[in-house]
Amino acid sequence: MEAYCPHCHQALLWQQGNLYHCEACHKTYQQVALCPDCNKPLEKMQACGAVDYFCQHGHGLISKKRISLRYTEQA
Ligand SMILES: [Zn+2]
Ligand SMILES: [Zn+2]
Protein backbone atom coordinates (compact mmCIF):
# COMPACT_ATOMS: atom_id res chain seq x y z
CA MET A 1 0.00 0.00 0.00
CA GLU A 2 1.49 3.34 -1.06
CA ALA A 3 1.63 6.10 1.50
CA TYR A 4 1.67 9.76 0.60
CA CYS A 5 2.68 12.82 2.59
CA PRO A 6 -0.38 14.91 3.63
CA HIS A 7 1.62 18.11 3.06
CA CYS A 8 3.62 17.70 -0.13
CA HIS A 9 1.98 14.52 -1.52
CA GLN A 10 5.30 12.80 -2.15
CA ALA A 11 5.55 9.08 -1.52
CA LEU A 12 6.47 8.36 2.09
CA LEU A 13 9.25 5.99 3.08
CA TRP A 14 8.29 3.31 5.56
CA GLN A 15 10.42 3.36 8.70
CA GLN A 16 9.07 0.89 11.24
CA GLY A 17 5.72 -0.13 12.65
CA ASN A 18 3.24 2.64 11.80
CA LEU A 19 5.92 5.24 11.13
CA TYR A 20 6.64 6.81 7.75
CA HIS A 21 9.17 9.43 6.75
CA CYS A 22 8.89 12.22 4.18
CA GLU A 23 12.27 13.12 2.71
CA ALA A 24 10.97 16.39 1.29
CA CYS A 25 9.48 17.63 4.58
CA HIS A 26 12.06 15.94 6.83
CA LYS A 27 9.18 14.81 8.99
CA THR A 28 7.95 11.55 10.41
CA TYR A 29 4.29 10.61 10.15
CA GLN A 30 2.29 8.04 12.01
CA GLN A 31 -0.19 6.03 9.99
CA VAL A 32 -3.63 5.96 11.61
CA ALA A 33 -6.47 3.71 10.42
CA LEU A 34 -9.90 5.37 10.55
CA CYS A 35 -13.38 3.89 10.59
CA PRO A 36 -15.16 4.58 7.25
CA ASP A 37 -18.46 5.02 9.11
CA CYS A 38 -17.55 7.36 11.98
CA ASN A 39 -14.05 8.57 11.01
CA LYS A 40 -12.67 7.71 14.44
CA PRO A 41 -9.35 5.88 14.94
CA LEU A 42 -9.64 2.10 14.81
CA GLU A 43 -8.03 -0.32 17.19
CA LYS A 44 -5.51 -2.51 15.39
CA MET A 45 -5.67 -6.15 16.39
CA GLN A 46 -2.95 -8.52 15.34
CA ALA A 47 -3.51 -12.24 15.61
CA CYS A 48 -1.65 -15.08 13.89
CA GLY A 49 -0.07 -12.70 11.38
CA ALA A 50 -3.44 -11.32 10.27
CA VAL A 51 -4.37 -7.74 11.02
CA ASP A 52 -7.92 -6.77 11.90
CA TYR A 53 -9.34 -3.37 12.65
CA PHE A 54 -12.00 -2.83 15.28
CA CYS A 55 -14.22 0.21 15.80
CA GLN A 56 -15.02 0.88 19.45
CA HIS A 57 -17.86 3.19 18.50
CA GLY A 58 -20.37 0.57 17.48
CA HIS A 59 -19.17 -0.49 14.03
CA GLY A 60 -17.32 -3.64 15.10
CA LEU A 61 -14.75 -5.30 12.87
CA ILE A 62 -13.85 -3.28 9.78
CA SER A 63 -12.41 -4.96 6.71
CA LYS A 64 -8.93 -3.82 5.70
CA LYS A 65 -10.39 -2.82 2.32
CA ARG A 66 -12.78 -0.34 3.93
CA ILE A 67 -10.45 1.49 6.30
CA SER A 68 -9.24 4.97 5.46
CA LEU A 69 -5.68 5.88 6.31
CA ARG A 70 -4.50 9.17 7.66
CA TYR A 71 -0.96 10.33 8.31
CA THR A 72 -0.43 12.48 11.37
CA GLU A 73 2.74 14.39 12.07
CA GLN A 74 4.93 13.13 14.89
CA ALA A 75 5.93 15.78 17.43
ZN1 LIG B 1 6.20 15.88 2.72
ZN1 LIG C 1 -16.93 3.43 13.55
Side-chain angles (χ1 to χ4, degrees), residues 35 38 55 59:
C35 175
C38 65
C55 176
H59 301 112

Side-chain angles (χ1 to χ4, degrees), residues 16-28:
Q16 55 172 344
N18 289 340
L19 297 179
Y20 291 78
H21 182 74
C22 178
E23 281 193 316
C25 298
H26 297 285
K27 278 180 180 157
T28 301

Side-chain angles (χ1 to χ4, degrees), residues 35-40 42 55-60 62:
C35 175
D37 297 323
C38 65
N39 243 23
K40 296 209 166 93
L42 295 169
C55 176
Q56 292 177 309
H57 304 274
H59 301 112
I62 308 290

Side-chain angles (χ1 to χ4, degrees), residues 23-54:
E23 281 193 316
C25 298
H26 297 285
K27 278 180 180 157
T28 301
Y29 295 93
Q30 185 177 16
Q31 186 188 69
V32 183
L34 299 177
C35 175
D37 297 323
C38 65
N39 243 23
K40 296 209 166 93
L42 295 169
E43 194 181 321
K44 194 177 183 180
M45 305 195 300
Q46 233 153 339
C48 307
V51 180
D52 283 314
Y53 293 91
F54 187 80

